[in-house]
Amino acid sequence: MKHLVPLLLALCAVPALAQRTPLVTPAEKAASAVIVPDVLRAHVRFLAHDLLEGRGPGTRGDALAQAYIAAQFEALGLKPAGTDGSYFQQFDLVGITSHPKGLTFRAPQGTVELKFHEDFIAVSGVQAPEAKLEDSELVFVGYGIQAPEYEWDDFKGMDLRGKTLLILNNDPEDDPKLFAGRTRLWYGRWDYKYEQAAKVGAAGAIIIHTTPSAGYPWQVVQTSWTGEQFELPATEGPRTQVKAWTTEAATRRVLELAGRDLDALRAAAQQRDFQPVPLGVKVSARFTSEVRRRPTANVLAMLPGSDPKLSQQVVLYSAHHDHLGMKQGGKPGEDTIYNGALDNAAGVAAMLSVAKAFRELPQPPRRTILFAAVAAEEQGLLGSQYLAEHPPVPAGRVAANINIDGANIHGRTKDLTVIGLGKSSLDATITGLAKTQGRVVKADQLSDRGFFYRSDQFNFAKQGIPAAYFGSGMDFVGRPEGWGKQQREAWEAKHYHQPSDELRPEWDLTGAVEDVRLFFLLGANVARAPEMPRWNKGDEFEAARLESLEALKGGASK
């Protein structure tokens, strides 16, 4: 009996603990009611209006979007959290407009000339008026991955300095024990591949596009990688001269010149013992570029926490305010404005609605809430990168990031997609909140797309901050099985990164409201919980979190 007493006391304590830390408080539930379709729609209507000309970074439309968001924060009584007592965290972007003169492949057997836009898309890899490849040796390097934890190295120590690398998109997926099978990891992302090419000293890097491996059609590469491209100002470190994409058909023509078969090379690249393949082909290209600096800003606002100690910690909401600007060289009468209604005026509208809900609470939550409308996401997550590198508080004090990119525009769902389910302790809270809405949580239903590494939460996760990121559910109320997936695929094919991403009368935001209320309740729960969320043991970002927490201890001891 004496052994049962501690157990009985522990069991009795569980309900008491749950009572002290409820999933949702009555005040939070009441506050969530201010999140309604009409308010979401109104914010989207302004931010996606033609007058903002697509919110391209560094443009008048970009500045108008920032001013609108700052005005909304001010109207809600949120405190400025930018520089010099303002709502704006200003920084410069380097805009590079590249003019490729062609991409030429030569071998003893002949020459292949690829056509810009039709066969290849390329941008300068350097912030300079000229970039070039001069008879650079072409080497096929499989997926271009170095992953010690998987005992994987596609470079095998080969000297690749000055060479041009031909790289498969995505990561190997034949073996479920390697690279999470069909779930795309950071290793499968184009930005990782370009970074690796630079690290090994390559002069150029060419990624082979296929719709299955990229998760989007060639037209997305055409729209996203043409016109002015933006970067943060260059720092010390290696850079390639040229970053390019080629279509599968164009790549096959180049490989035929080398006497090689793409399918055979792709099959060889699935194995650990793959060796880089010099192709006996020389690559030449010459770019001229206009290079200029353009100002932009993240828009930051803060609701200070009410707890004397926990208010030093922060729950960070983020949503990017930029889009692609205006299409160059449009035909008369053609729609040339990339309005970005769903991507991501809708996400900013959601974040503003969450901020309004927090202001409805009778008193602020224990932890501080930071709202960040970040810039230049479409250009490579640049605004969130700048914020992560120049945070208002140390990363170890940021309890969690809740990132909002897009919205459900098709109605209510029975499910909720959590991108990165299984990575952190946030899962349990999200699952419980979804249950209160009569919904179930599902893992990323398009895990081969690598969505966790394609939006702003990735930059915060790299700093060790536990992050929550969501996709729309797929099981729609009153719709047949498979309808949600059909809508998703149709939207991606017709509207993703196209001028047709506009606010439409048929948008049904009832499902978006449920999602956004959950985002608010999740942040409110994290803001009052006794402990901060954590990455699950062994997660790829756990080490960064432990390091950021240790840095706080070091700072306290000084």
Side-chain angles (χ1 to χ4, degrees):
M1 184 68 183
K2 65 179 180 180
H3 298 293
L4 291 176
V5 172
L7 177 60
L8 291 172
L9 290 173
L11 290 173
C12 290
V14 171
L17 179 62
Q19 190 174 12
R20 288 199 302 272
T21 58
L23 192 61
V24 179
T25 68
E28 290 164 0
K29 184 175 181 180
S32 71
V34 303
I35 300 170
V36 294
D38 287 348
V39 174
L40 292 172
R41 190 181 300 273
H43 288 311
V44 173
R45 191 178 303 283
F46 180 85
L47 290 167
H49 197 282
D50 282 355
L51 289 173
L52 275 71
E53 299 175 336
R55 309 188 305 281
T59 65
R60 177 179 60 179
D62 183 30
L64 285 171
Q66 294 169 35
Y68 177 82
I69 296 163
Q72 296 298 315
F73 285 154
E74 185 175 7
L76 289 170
L78 300 175
K79 292 191 174 183
T83 52
D84 300 323
S86 75
Y87 288 100
F88 306 104
Q89 184 186 44
Q90 296 176 333
F91 60 98
D92 280 347
L93 296 171
V94 175
I96 306 171
T97 304
S98 301
H99 305 286
K101 303 297 184 183
L103 195 58
T104 304
F105 300 84
R106 294 187 179 89
Q109 300 89 328
T111 300
V112 170
E113 293 270 1
L114 297 188
K115 295 181 180 179
F116 179 70
H117 203 262
E118 179 181 332
D119 297 324
F120 81 97
I121 297 293
V123 297
S124 173
V126 292
Q127 296 176 5
E130 184 179 73
K132 59 185 178 180
L133 299 173
E134 291 185 314
D135 289 331
S136 173
E137 183 181 356
L138 186 65
V139 181
F140 176 72
V141 294
Y143 290 94
I145 293 172
Q146 289 181 301
E149 70 273 29
Y150 292 110
E151 299 179 358
W152 192 282
D153 181 2
D154 280 327
F155 301 134
K156 300 297 192 296
M158 178 179 283
D159 184 359
L160 297 169
R161 289 174 294 179
K163 296 178 171 57
T164 295
L165 311 187
L166 185 63
I167 311 169
L168 295 170
N169 202 9
N170 211 329
D171 48 46
E173 58 184 36
D174 286 355
D175 186 347
K177 297 179 182 178
L178 285 173
F179 301 103
R182 292 186 59 82
T183 297
R184 183 178 309 204
L185 303 179
W186 167 231
Y187 296 121
R189 293 281 297 142
W190 54 262
D191 34 2
Y192 168 83
K193 297 175 188 298
Y194 288 139
E195 284 182 16
Q196 289 300 108
K199 286 179 180 178
V200 298
I206 302 171
I207 296 176
I208 305 167
H209 174 273
T210 67
T211 297
S213 69
Y216 40 76
W218 180 245
Q219 69 183 33
V220 174
V221 178
Q222 292 172 317
T223 55
S224 301
W225 287 81
T226 52
E228 191 170 22
Q229 302 292 300
F230 293 91
E231 302 176 353
L232 295 177
T235 56
E236 294 294 326
R239 297 176 71 90
T240 59
Q241 287 282 307
V242 173
K243 298 185 289 188
W245 293 81
T246 52
T247 66
E248 184 173 15
T251 305
R252 289 186 185 277
R253 287 162 49 202
V254 172
L255 290 174
E256 285 173 7
L257 182 66
R260 297 282 185 169
D261 176 70
L262 177 58
D263 296 328
L265 289 172
R266 185 184 284 123
Q270 308 302 315
Q271 306 301 319
R272 271 199 182 94
D273 60 1
F274 167 81
Q275 296 282 339
V277 181
L279 295 171
V281 174
K282 302 290 187 180
V283 190
S284 295
R286 186 176 296 274
F287 291 25
T288 58
S289 301
E290 288 98 44
V291 182
R292 60 174 176 169
R293 286 205 174 208
R294 304 188 73 170
T296 190
N298 299 323
V299 189
L300 309 180
M302 190 174 289
L303 176 63
S306 58
D307 185 280
K309 184 176 180 181
L310 290 184
S311 61
Q312 298 179 41
Q313 299 173 357
V314 167
V315 177
L316 168 62
Y317 282 90
S318 57
H320 73 89
H321 63 67
D322 65 294
H323 199 55
L324 300 176
M326 299 184 67
K327 184 178 181 180
Q328 303 299 311
K331 300 175 183 177
E334 181 183 0
D335 183 3
T336 59
I337 299 175
Y338 295 100
N339 300 86
L342 186 60
D343 186 12
N344 186 38
V348 174
M351 186 175 68
L352 291 173
S353 293
V354 167
K356 184 178 182 182
F358 271 106
R359 294 298 285 151
E360 289 292 312
L361 293 173
Q363 73 171 31
R366 300 173 70 193
R367 289 185 175 88
T368 293
I369 311 297
L370 175 64
F371 300 97
V374 295
E377 188 267 359
E378 302 290 6
Q379 299 293 329
L381 317 183
L382 300 182
S384 58
Q385 178 184 341
Y386 188 86
L387 177 58
E389 293 173 354
H390 304 84
V393 297
R397 289 185 183 167
V398 182
N401 167 232
I402 301 169
N403 185 49
I404 311 173
D405 195 348
N408 174 5
I409 59 173
H410 301 299
R412 296 180 60 238
T413 61
K414 302 173 186 176
D415 57 346
L416 173 71
T417 300
V418 177
I419 309 297
L421 185 69
K423 296 182 72 64
S424 80
S425 62
L426 290 167
D427 292 348
T429 306
I430 295 169
T431 300
L433 290 171
K435 189 175 181 180
T436 68
Q437 296 179 331
R439 298 199 289 170
V440 297
V441 165
K442 293 181 181 177
D444 186 0
Q445 299 172 66
L446 299 168
S447 61
D448 59 323
R449 308 288 182 87
F451 286 126
F452 193 86
Y453 310 94
R454 287 171 56 175
S455 195
D456 292 304
Q457 75 286 332
F458 179 46
N459 279 322
F460 303 121
K462 285 195 290 186
Q463 299 295 324
I465 299 167
Y469 178 46
F470 302 86
S472 298
M474 293 281 199
D475 187 2
F476 283 81
V477 175
R479 299 291 187 176
E481 184 179 353
W483 185 86
K485 185 178 181 182
Q486 291 171 2
Q487 299 306 305
R488 174 64 178 265
E489 291 174 347
W491 190 86
E492 286 187 350
K494 297 178 182 178
H495 307 303
Y496 178 56
H497 283 195
Q498 301 301 315
S500 56
D501 179 7
E502 299 178 307
L503 177 64
R504 298 175 183 275
E506 63 267 25
W507 279 22
D508 180 351
L509 295 176
T510 55
V513 165
E514 283 194 317
D515 289 347
V516 178
R517 288 178 177 175
L518 186 144
F519 303 161
F520 161 65
L521 295 172
L522 173 61
N525 184 286
V526 173
R528 58 177 164 76
E531 303 292 335
M532 292 197 297
R534 63 186 184 281
W535 295 107
N536 290 340
K537 189 170 180 59
D539 186 83
E540 59 191 313
F541 302 114
E542 182 191 25
R545 184 57 162 183
L546 296 176
E547 184 178 335
S548 69
L549 294 174
E550 191 63 31
L552 289 180
K553 296 178 183 177
S557 65
K558 292 180 180 179

